[in-house]
Amino acid sequence: MVVTLKDVAQAANLSVASVSRILTNRGRYSETTAKRVREIAREMGYFKNQSAADLASKKSRAVGVVVPLIHTNFADEIIKGLYEATVASGYELLITYLDDNEAHQTQVFNTLLTRQVGAVFLLSLDIPAWMMAQLTTQSIPIISLTTILNEHISAVTSNEFIVMDTLVDHLVSKGHTNIALIGDTKLTTNISSVRRRNFIESMKQHQLTTENAFFYGNDHSYETGYQSVTEGYDINALPFTAAIATADLVGVGIVNAMNDANKSIPNSLSVVTIDGLQLTEMSRPQLTTIQQNFAEIGRIAMNLFIENSIDQQQQIIYVPTKLIERDSVLDIK
Amino acid sequence: MVVTLKDVAQAANLSVASVSRILTNRGRYSETTAKRVREIAREMGYFKNQSAADLASKKSRAVGVVVPLIHTNFADEIIKGLYEATVASGYELLITYLDDNEAHQTQVFNTLLTRQVGAVFLLSLDIPAWMMAQLTTQSIPIISLTTILNEHISAVTSNEFIVMDTLVDHLVSKGHTNIALIGDTKLTTNISSVRRRNFIESMKQHQLTTENAFFYGNDHSYETGYQSVTEGYDINALPFTAAIATADLVGVGIVNAMNDANKSIPNSLSVVTIDGLQLTEMSRPQLTTIQQNFAEIGRIAMNLFIENSIDQQQQIIYVPTKLIERDSVLDIK
DNA sequence: TTGAAAGCGATACCAA
DNA sequence: TTGGTATCGCTTTCAA
């Protein structure tokens, strides 16, 4: 049988109330008895039943993390960040995965709500409107990571415009004028259309027109990168001299496709990527990239919640990014 | 205020007992009232309080997953597998990360126990003895994934010997006799020493001696792979013609180190890896690998638990692996 | 500093 | 098919 508070209380000749207070370090008690009780509890192998505790105190120590099931190599990093901040505070991470199956979505969503999570962290995820509505009516704070969803939801993210502008600026400074955005460039989601807009805007600010801008792809996959130069354009006569990959994986796809066609990078094409995970160092040539600090994004988001600063109004926190110059950009000036 | 069962019961003019039975599809009730109740519950935005439910029913719908915080690129895949099997059954995954900090370990462990998890899944992880002891005294089933811990703990894994033997056999069939095992080859953990032993055993079965076997490295990292041929051995006079990398990342490290030194793979060195994730396709040349079916391992493990077959005695389930021949092995016969 | 007792929200047994 | 009610293990006033 499982050891309960009552058992411990009996063994210690105390009331459950006192034992509870001691074991949760709440309220008043003498340090002498406290010591004794803690010892007894340990010996008996007592473990609090968190469900009972949550129920009685009408609160939960769990926060939900919703991760898209499609390939996102940075989810790991973010979760680590969240986790770090969480360990210190005693909160629990309830990590759930979301795919396209609506039945699954409902269920995921249900576990979150039935566990009375204190907050929901969305990882680069645009959840269906009905979910959003539910969350809000239950007044569960939502924090979006790596992307700004709308004007109500708080977010911790890199500054998307700066990310794009830094890259464009870097390429322009090396003499490039015809630039492609490759990866997730579709107009149907919030996230990708923002990037697309930022790209155009940044081009403009560099005195370049939409004639200088090229787009390819609907997702952040390796295949999209690969196909961009093999199927999307004539690899022997690319209309652009540089490409911005919306994710590292896309960049590697481009590099491999070029290599496989005996075209050298950066001589035949310059490539830069967004994200800057380990992959960019493992590529040959190593990729110039703008690195996002994912772990930091996770840490900050969690602390934002813990410090309860995330109450009513929206907060947007930008986490700095860093341009890392490596060997995938040719100076053609 | 949060909507409770009682509220729904009142609104429906029924007892909480009936409503509970209906909403959990347990016991008898008429489909007519059931329909009405479900509708009312939905309208009121009712969500069961899982903590209360767990408490009352004296069981938990949560299972714990313990993931090592060090870089393991397959954790993702396994979690997806676990998740898939879990969604259908209504269980929840409580995913926790384990690092070397003992205080953290205790805490992780605490959340697991305080949540009364029904089982604990260990991802390629050798947990401290005291944890193991606790888990067993609380009679929480433990299932180890991708590795066999001892003769008591159930496991779902690839057959490690077959993995190693397939690789050795493949290399030998291509005329290689001097072979290196690179990556995690240390003798201090169960997992790595088993691999090492298997390697030696397999060599023997192929009429090769320990003189033909080489070892390098203490972890599964890219750096270890890279250093093996740059620092571990003289890259211009490697004593082996083929290398088995204990993880994909290690293999890529070797490939890059060779490339950077203007040595071609497989001409100067043949490389095969264990795991077979996407990375092996992205490498140039593409890597010959023995592919583990991680998602399947997760799925099977979870089902093993759900079907309750994992009661008293140990079970070892082997999930088939697949040799994928690509371009990183030279035939030197 | 300690104890008694009233919940928390659901489940499940036993009656009706 | 439905309802009453004890119970799960803990927290939290309020008194002692």
Side-chain angles (χ1 to χ4, degrees), chain B residues 297-311:
Chain B
I297 287 177
R299 244 176 269 128
I300 290 181
M302 191 67 201
N303 285 326
L304 188 66
F305 164 67
I306 292 174
E307 287 154 14
N308 226 322
S309 23
I310 175 95
D311 262 350

Side-chain angles (χ1 to χ4, degrees), chain A residues 5 20 26 46 56:
Chain A
L5 243 206
S20 168
R26 239 190 297 277
Y46 168 76

Side-chain angles (χ1 to χ4, degrees), chain B residues 4-5 20 24 26 46 49 56:
Chain B
T4 72
L5 243 204
S20 169
T24 54
R26 240 190 297 276
Y46 167 76
N49 180 325

